[in-house]
Amino acid sequence: GAAAALPARTPDAAGAEAANALRGVVVTASRALSAQTGVAQAITVLDRAEIEASQAILLPDLLIRTPGVTLSRNGGPGGVTALRIRGAESDQTVVVIDGVKLTDAAAPGGGYNFANLLTGDAARVEVLRGAQSTLWGSQAIGGVIHVVSTAPTQTLQGDLTAETGSDRTAYVRGGLGGRTERLLWRLGAGYYTTDGVSAYERGVEDDGFQHTLVNGRLEYALAEGVALDLRGTWSYGRVQVDGFPAPAFSFADTAEYGVTDELIGYAGLKVDLLDGRLRNRLAVSRTEVERESLNPLRAVSTTFRSEAETDRYEYQGAFAITEAWQAVFGLEREETAIATASPSTFAPNPVPQTAAARLDSAYLQLQGEAWPGLSLTAGLRGDDHQTFGGKALGQLALAWTPNAGATVLRASFGQGFKAPSLYQLYSEYGNLGLEPEEADAWDVGVSQQLLDGAATVSATWFQRETTNQIDYVSCFSVPGDPLCGIPGGGTRFGYYANVARTQAHGVELEGEARTGPFRFQANYTWTDARNEAAGSPNRGNQLARRPEHQGYLAATWQVAAGGSATLAVRHLGAAFDNAANTSRLQARTLVDLRAAWPLAEGVEGFGRVENLFDDRAPSTAGYGEVGRAAFVGVRARF
C-alpha cells in the first residue's frame, strides 16, 4: 500500500501530542482536538516552554500556580500529597497521562497520590476544572489533569536536564527519540533525590525522597490511516516518614519509610475511515500499583502492603458530521482488583484481603457551531457498576465569541460521579450498600483581549453541589448501629456510608499582559467550600485544608540576549486542618526568584531560589515544610 504519514489521526487524548505545536488547541475538554475559543469549560493549558520556565520538578508544584488548585502535603517532597480542584476532594480528580487514567484502586478513596507525579517528559499539561464525568467517567467531580508527553518532530533528537541544590537535592532527566514517515519512537528516564525535611514538624532528622522514572513509546503506521500505538511507564518512589513509635504512641521521628512501584502499559490501534472523517481507536491499558510501608526497627518490618490492578478496554470514535459539527463516542470497560495486608508480630504473614469490581460505560458528546461564533456542547454518559448498578449523567455547555475571539463568553453545566472504591465496598470497613457520589456543577465566565491582544483578562464564577459523599462512620459514635455488627458476633470500629453533602462556590480571576520585554501573569481564586450534611455537628463549617483565598503573581523580564528573570509570589489564605474547624492553618506567602541564561547553542543554564523569606507555615498540621532553598542546573537539546 501507499506510504502512511505518522501518526494516524486520533480521536482522543492518546494522540494529544498533535496539539503540542498548535496554540489555542486543547484535547481534554472533548477528548478530541478542539479550538480553545470554542471550549466552554474552564481550562488552563501549560505548554513545554512554560513548564521549563517554571523549573518545577514535582508536577503538583506546577499545578498550584493555576487557578482553583490547592495542595496539602504530609511533609516534604514524597509525602502523601492531596491536590484539590475547586474545593473537591483529592480523590475526585482524574489524572491522565497520554490518555491513560492513573488510579490506585487499593487506596481508601481509590484516588491517586500526587507525590509520585513529576513533570518529567511532559510537553503539555491541561487542567480542566469542574465536573467532567460525561467523558472522563468516575472521579471527575473536581476536574481532570491531563499530561501529554513529548513527541519527537525530527529524525533523531534528544534532551538532557541536570540540576542540584539545597537539601542535597539532585535531579537528572533525559530523552531520545525520532520520527520517520512510518515510525515514531521515544525513550526517557529520570532520577530525583533529596534529603528533604523532617516529616514531623518538630523532628530533627530529615526524611528523604528518591524517585526513578522510565518511559517509552512507539507508534508505527501499518497502512494509510492505520497506526499501532504502544506506551509504557515505570516509576519507583521511596520516601521516609515519621509515625507513632511505641510505647509513647506520639507523633515523632521514626525510621519508617514507604515504597511505591507503579507500572503503566498501553496498546492501541488507530484507524481513520471515510477520508479521515471517522477516526477510531481500540485500546487496552493496564495499571499496577504496589505499595509497602516498612519499619526496619520492628521484628516484622513490613507493616502494610497493597497491590492494585486496573485493566481498561476502550473503543472511541470521532465523526466529523459536517465541517462545523463533531461527535465523540465510546465504550469502556474497567476491571479493578486489589489485595491488601497488614502484617504484625502476631500475624507476620496474614492472608491478604482481596476484592474486584467491573464498571462498563458508554458515552456520546456532540460539539459544533450552532451559528457563527456560538459553539454548543452536549453530552450523555451511562455507567453500569456490578455492585451499585446503573448511573446516567449529562453535560451542556456553550461558548460565544461575538467578535472573532477577542471576547469569549462561556457557560457550562456538568454532572460528576465517583464510584465507591474497592476499599470502601469490601474492606473490613466496607459497605456493599454504598451509592456513587454525585455532583452537579455550574460555571459562567468571560475572557477579553485588550490592547490589540497584548493583554487578556478573564473571570469565572463556579458552583458545585455534591451529594451521597462517602465518609467514615465511627461505631463508637452510633451505639447499636446494625452496620457495626460483625457476622458471627462482635463489633467493628466503623464503616463507610453516604452521609456527607458538600457545597462549593467561588470566583476565579486571571490576567496576562506583555509589554516590551516584560510579561505579567496573575490569578486569584476565592473558594467557599462547606460541609452541608444534614444532622452533622460540622454542618456549615469550612472543609478542611481549603483556603478561602489564594493568588499567584509572576513578572518575567525577557533579556535581549535570550535569558530571562522571574519574580513569583504565591499566597495561600488561612484554612482549617480539621472538619470541626478547631485547628487553624496559618496563611502562607511564598516568594520565588527564577532565572535562565543561554550558555551555547541548544544549551541553557538556569537557577532559582524558592521560598525566599523562609515561610514554613504547614499545609497539614503537625508536618514539616521545606524552607528557603536554592538550585542551579543546565538543560541541553540536540
Side-chain angles (χ1 to χ4, degrees):
L6 187 85
R9 290 185 298 170
T10 177
D12 84 327
E17 73 283 346
N20 289 351
L22 303 176
R23 292 187 60 84
V25 175
V26 298
V27 177
T28 314
S30 62
R31 296 183 70 161
L33 301 183
S34 302
Q36 191 166 355
T37 55
V39 172
Q41 297 91 338
I43 189 168
T44 297
V45 179
L46 303 170
D47 61 19
R48 186 63 196 175
E50 290 181 277
I51 296 171
E52 290 187 348
S54 75
Q55 300 185 26
I57 296 176
L58 304 176
L59 190 64
D61 292 342
L62 172 67
L63 297 175
I64 55 177
R65 304 171 191 180
T66 63
V69 179
T70 58
L71 174 148
S72 58
R73 179 183 286 137
N74 294 357
V80 174
T81 303
L83 190 144
R84 303 176 179 90
I85 299 179
R86 290 181 171 177
E89 301 295 331
S90 183
D91 58 24
Q92 293 174 339
T93 295
V94 166
V95 183
V96 182
I97 295 184
D98 291 332
V100 180
K101 291 174 66 175
L102 301 186
T103 59
D104 180 357
Y112 184 75
N113 179 8
F114 288 85
N116 292 300
L117 201 56
L118 276 61
T119 54
D121 215 23
R124 183 180 179 91
V125 180
E126 298 182 3
V127 183
L128 185 63
R129 302 186 292 278
Q132 309 294 335
S133 287
T134 302
L135 284 181
W136 291 103
S138 179
Q139 293 184 272
I141 288 177
V144 179
I145 296 169
H146 179 208
V147 181
V148 181
S149 59
T150 299
T153 58
Q154 303 173 17
T155 303
L156 183 66
Q157 64 184 102
D159 57 87
L160 181 66
T161 299
E163 70 171 79
T164 187
S166 300
D167 302 320
R168 296 179 62 185
T169 298
Y171 178 53
V172 60
R173 184 196 64 81
L176 183 67
R179 178 191 290 260
T180 64
E181 190 175 23
R182 284 186 175 271
L183 179 67
L184 179 152
W185 65 277
R186 180 171 171 86
L187 295 172
Y191 177 73
Y192 172 68
T193 181
T194 180
D195 282 355
V197 296
S198 175
Y200 173 45
E201 187 177 23
R202 299 179 184 179
V204 296
E205 51 86 24
D206 293 334
D207 292 303
F209 175 53
Q210 292 79 42
H211 186 274
T212 303
L213 174 71
V214 178
N215 62 283
R217 61 182 300 185
L218 183 148
E219 290 190 44
Y220 183 72
L222 302 173
E224 184 69 34
V226 180
L228 179 66
D229 184 2
L230 303 175
R231 304 168 190 253
T233 301
W234 172 77
S235 71
Y236 180 85
R238 184 185 189 277
V239 60
Q240 294 173 290
V241 298
D242 288 327
F244 303 87
F249 293 103
S250 59
F251 192 51
D253 283 334
T254 68
E256 296 174 68
Y257 66 96
V259 296
T260 302
D261 193 322
E262 298 180 338
L263 180 64
I264 303 169
Y266 173 93
L269 181 67
K270 299 181 289 186
V271 181
D272 289 359
L273 302 173
L274 304 178
D275 294 326
R277 289 182 62 193
L278 176 60
R279 305 191 300 275
N280 305 272
R281 178 176 63 91
L282 289 168
V284 58
S285 63
R286 182 178 178 87
T287 302
E288 298 179 1
V289 181
E290 296 182 8
R291 287 185 290 119
E292 193 169 11
S293 299
L294 302 102
N295 187 337
L297 300 183
R298 292 190 176 185
V300 179
S301 60
T302 297
T303 58
F304 175 79
R305 60 174 176 264
S306 69
E307 297 179 7
E309 299 174 352
T310 301
D311 293 311
R312 302 185 79 243
Y313 308 91
E314 304 175 71
Y315 163 75
Q316 185 175 320
F319 180 58
I321 303 170
T322 67
E323 290 186 1
W325 284 88
Q326 176 179 241
V328 177
F329 45 91
L331 300 171
E332 297 176 344
R333 167 167 287 191
E334 181 176 275
E335 298 175 350
T336 54
I338 64 171
T340 62
S342 299
S344 66
T345 304
F346 305 102
N349 296 295
V351 176
Q353 288 187 312
T354 61
R358 184 187 69 249
L359 179 65
D360 294 320
S361 308
Y363 59 86
L364 168 65
Q365 179 167 290
L366 299 175
Q367 182 177 4
E369 197 171 46
W371 63 75
L374 179 63
S375 298
L376 297 178
T377 301
L380 185 66
R381 183 185 187 92
D383 288 274
D384 182 43
H385 191 279
Q386 73 175 74
T387 299
F388 68 75
K391 174 64 183 174
L393 60 158
Q395 183 178 51
L396 185 64
L398 62 86
W400 183 37
T401 56
N403 49 12
T407 304
V408 181
L409 302 170
R410 296 183 171 93
S412 70
F413 166 76
Q415 293 181 301
F417 89 105
K418 179 179 178 293
S421 70
L422 290 176
Y423 189 88
Q424 292 165 342
L425 287 169
Y426 300 107
S427 73
E428 58 186 308
Y429 310 108
N431 178 4
L432 293 178
L434 289 174
E435 296 290 333
E437 299 176 348
E438 302 177 13
D440 291 335
W442 305 261
D443 60 33
V444 178
V446 57
S447 63
Q448 178 67 53
Q449 292 184 5
L450 304 170
L451 305 175
D452 295 325
T456 303
V457 295
S458 66
T460 302
W461 170 86
F462 64 87
Q463 181 170 330
R464 184 190 64 258
E465 296 180 356
T466 304
T467 57
N468 283 340
Q469 188 156 310
I470 299 170
D471 207 349
Y472 178 78
V473 177
S474 171
C475 287
F476 296 103
S477 62
V478 190
D481 189 332
L483 286 177
C484 291
I486 299 175
T491 301
R492 57 181 175 172
F493 291 105
Y495 62 90
Y496 288 96
N498 297 104
V499 295
R501 179 187 180 98
T502 64
Q503 185 180 81
H505 61 271
V507 175
E508 297 164 345
L509 304 177
E510 296 181 80
E512 180 178 353
R514 297 177 184 269
T515 175
F518 297 100
R519 181 191 184 194
F520 301 93
Q521 298 170 281
N523 64 69
Y524 164 79
T525 304
W526 170 66
T527 305
D528 185 20
R530 295 186 179 272
N531 183 336
E532 295 295 340
S536 170
N538 299 318
R539 185 174 186 180
N541 287 359
Q542 293 184 20
L543 298 181
R545 301 168 190 166
R546 275 79 159 179
E548 189 174 355
H549 305 281
Q550 66 182 89
Y552 179 75
L553 173 66
T556 299
W557 176 36
Q558 196 71 41
V559 184
S564 65
T566 298
L567 168 66
V569 181
R570 184 169 64 90
H571 176 76
L572 291 172
F576 293 101
D577 189 65
N578 60 349
N581 285 186
T582 57
S583 175
R584 190 173 181 84
L585 296 170
Q586 297 179 4
R588 192 181 192 200
T589 300
L590 304 177
V591 178
D592 299 340
L593 296 175
R594 301 191 294 269
W597 54 92
L599 298 175
E601 184 176 356
V603 182
E604 178 183 62
F606 61 89
R608 66 189 180 278
V609 178
E610 297 178 349
N611 195 3
L612 180 65
F613 297 107
D614 200 31
D615 189 332
R616 294 180 183 243
S619 61
T620 306
Y623 288 89
E625 284 286 348
V626 177
R628 184 187 302 111
F631 307 89
V632 64
V634 62
R635 64 171 62 99
R637 300 181 183 86
F638 52 89

